[in-house]
Amino acid sequence: MIDKYHKHHMNHDYSEENTDIPPRLHKLTSLPSPILTWIDQHLHGFITVWDEYDTIIHVSSTIEKILGYTAADVVGTKWFEKISGGDTAYIKETLDANPNTSQTFYVTIQDADGNNVHTDTIAAKIVCENKKCYYAASIQDITDQKEAEEMMIRSEKMSVAGQLAAGIAHEIRNPLTSLKGFLQLLQAGVKHKDEYYQIMVDEIEKMEAITSELLFISKPLTDHKEWESLPELIDDVITLLRSQARLKNITILREGENSLYVNCDRSQIKQVFINLLKNAIEAMDKPGYIKINYRLTQQTILIDIVDEGEGVPKEIIHKLGEPFFTTKQSGTGLGIMITKQILDRHQGDLEIMHNADNGSTFRITLPWSEVS
């Protein structure tokens, strides 16, 4: 509000004698000490500042309400000491690469009782006129919001599992029929037993792969990033959804570089692929192909999921991702919303395009760097 107010009145001269005109805006440092104290004590989150040596030199007193530490407990420690996970190197690298630019991070901080507090953190490296630099962060507790999101994600995951059940039952029944037949042949004393044993093992492994991926859906999302093979992630999801695709005579094709890796949370990115691939299958009423293409462009990985359905009408593309907005009769409208939230946590993005011929393209963008 101050910026808008100041901009609107920047060409006017407000003198103290003119009582009909609002008083001159004050800089924060010119306000009386009790006002500054009140502001410090009533922030919704807390603010912290650290120097170029990573040492915290200031923190607002509201940290005690959120994390249980007093300001005195924290000042003089390193800013990353209470941060969970391996995101500190990424945060520092990002801030150093973009001085005087605010960046948003989802950071998990350990409180005084040892519990994890999920935060939405806006931070920046600020270079002053004397070339000295500081780092500042505004930190908001979003633990309740994150827990609500995780409940929605779990609900959506179980919904997906239920919708896939018919296709998976069909996919498992075929190998079981083969196994039953081979066992009957073995009981009858048929020759070439070694060949049949190998076929039986192959059929069991097919069922194992499908059931493993189905169980994976029901597991809670983790929040742990590692370098993962992109082709393997996609293949795991194709294994799970191939049965649903076959029921509609749809073939899923994957094309891209086999040695491409992404730094991600495996369970979350798999959930993204499950949501989008499932949408693509449901969008197609006729037999056809779904193509998953991925490629590296400079420092970005582009993953396109291209279907041959009717295509998302251009006038509603912008509404996809809104909670409970859906084009399906039995849809929840949460799939795309959850997908965007997960990609946001990975500094990624989702773009939805209407194809020139037919169908839609869902393009995932993820950051890329050398495997460390």
Side-chain angles (χ1 to χ4, degrees), residues 38-294:
W38 189 93
I39 292 171
D40 183 71
Q41 292 174 348
H42 291 83
L43 290 169
H44 180 59
F46 67 91
I47 291 172
T48 183
V49 180
W50 64 94
D51 61 21
E52 56 192 318
Y53 304 107
D54 296 332
T55 302
I56 295 175
I57 59 175
H58 171 78
V59 64
S60 54
S61 60
T62 43
I63 189 173
E64 190 167 1
K65 291 189 292 187
I66 296 171
L67 298 180
Y69 305 109
T70 65
D73 293 333
V74 175
V75 171
T77 65
K78 301 298 183 184
W79 67 271
F80 50 78
E81 286 183 15
K82 306 298 183 185
I83 294 179
S84 304
D87 289 337
T88 53
Y90 171 78
I91 292 170
K92 185 168 177 57
E93 181 183 319
T94 303
L95 294 179
D96 286 341
N98 303 278
N100 298 320
T101 304
S102 294
Q103 306 283 335
T104 300
F105 306 95
Y106 292 98
V107 181
T108 302
I109 305 174
Q110 197 171 66
D111 69 12
D113 296 323
N115 301 315
N116 285 335
V117 176
H118 302 287
T119 71
D120 185 0
T121 298
I122 300 173
K125 177 183 181 179
I126 301 168
V127 181
C128 300
E129 290 180 4
N130 60 3
K131 302 300 181 185
K132 193 168 183 177
C133 69
Y134 297 92
Y135 298 82
S138 172
I139 299 168
Q140 306 284 333
D141 180 1
I142 59 165
T143 302
D144 291 344
Q145 176 188 328
K146 186 173 173 65
E147 287 175 354
E149 286 177 3
E150 287 176 352
M151 284 182 63
M152 283 196 301
I153 290 172
R154 282 197 294 272
S155 173
E156 181 70 10
K157 282 156 73 79
M158 296 312 296
S159 173
V160 168
Q163 291 165 19
L164 295 178
I168 289 169
H170 178 78
E171 196 73 7
I172 290 175
R173 187 175 60 184
N174 288 340
L176 281 174
T177 302
S178 299
L179 287 171
K180 182 179 178 181
F182 285 124
L183 283 171
Q184 289 171 337
L185 288 172
L186 292 171
Q187 283 178 326
V190 71
K191 297 178 181 180
H192 308 296
K193 292 183 180 180
D194 289 343
E195 293 179 25
Y196 291 133
Y197 286 143
Q198 185 55 51
I199 294 171
M200 291 170 71
V201 168
D202 290 343
E203 294 297 296
I204 290 170
E205 285 178 350
K206 284 180 190 175
M207 291 189 294
E208 191 175 44
I210 293 166
T211 53
S212 294
E213 289 305 318
L214 184 61
L215 287 171
F216 176 86
I217 287 185
S218 62
K219 288 180 181 177
L221 291 182
T222 60
D223 201 10
H224 179 63
K225 291 178 184 175
E226 289 186 356
W227 288 101
E228 304 286 355
S229 166
L230 181 60
E232 286 182 13
L233 289 177
I234 294 172
D235 283 344
D236 286 347
V237 174
I238 290 174
T239 296
L240 178 63
L241 293 172
R242 186 182 285 121
S243 54
Q244 187 182 11
R246 281 177 178 166
L247 290 175
K248 300 177 76 173
N249 292 317
I250 295 169
T251 302
I252 304 172
L253 304 175
R254 173 179 70 79
E255 184 178 351
E257 185 184 335
N258 283 329
S259 59
L260 203 54
Y261 285 77
V262 290
N263 189 26
C264 69
D265 181 291
R266 183 181 186 88
S267 64
Q268 292 187 22
I269 294 301
K270 271 193 179 183
Q271 185 66 42
V272 165
F273 291 139
I274 288 169
N275 290 348
L276 297 182
L277 195 51
K278 177 174 163 292
N279 278 355
I281 293 168
E282 292 172 351
M284 293 175 58
D285 296 325
K286 298 176 183 177
Y289 295 90
I290 295 172
K291 297 174 183 177
I292 306 175
N293 305 313
Y294 52 93

Side-chain angles (χ1 to χ4, degrees), residues 315-349:
E315 61 271 16
I316 66 166
I317 281 180
H318 70 283
K319 293 183 71 68
L320 293 182
E322 292 181 8
F324 309 111
F325 176 82
T326 180
T327 58
K328 304 172 194 170
Q329 227 172 3
S330 58
T332 63
L334 296 176
I336 298 296
M337 186 192 79
I338 290 166
T339 295
K340 287 186 173 183
Q341 287 174 345
I342 291 172
L343 291 174
D344 192 39
R345 291 175 191 166
H346 287 77
Q347 289 76 50
D349 195 16

Side-chain angles (χ1 to χ4, degrees), residues 300-311:
T300 302
I301 297 172
L302 297 181
I303 307 154
D304 288 346
I305 299 176
V306 186
D307 66 56
E308 296 179 347
E310 293 297 318

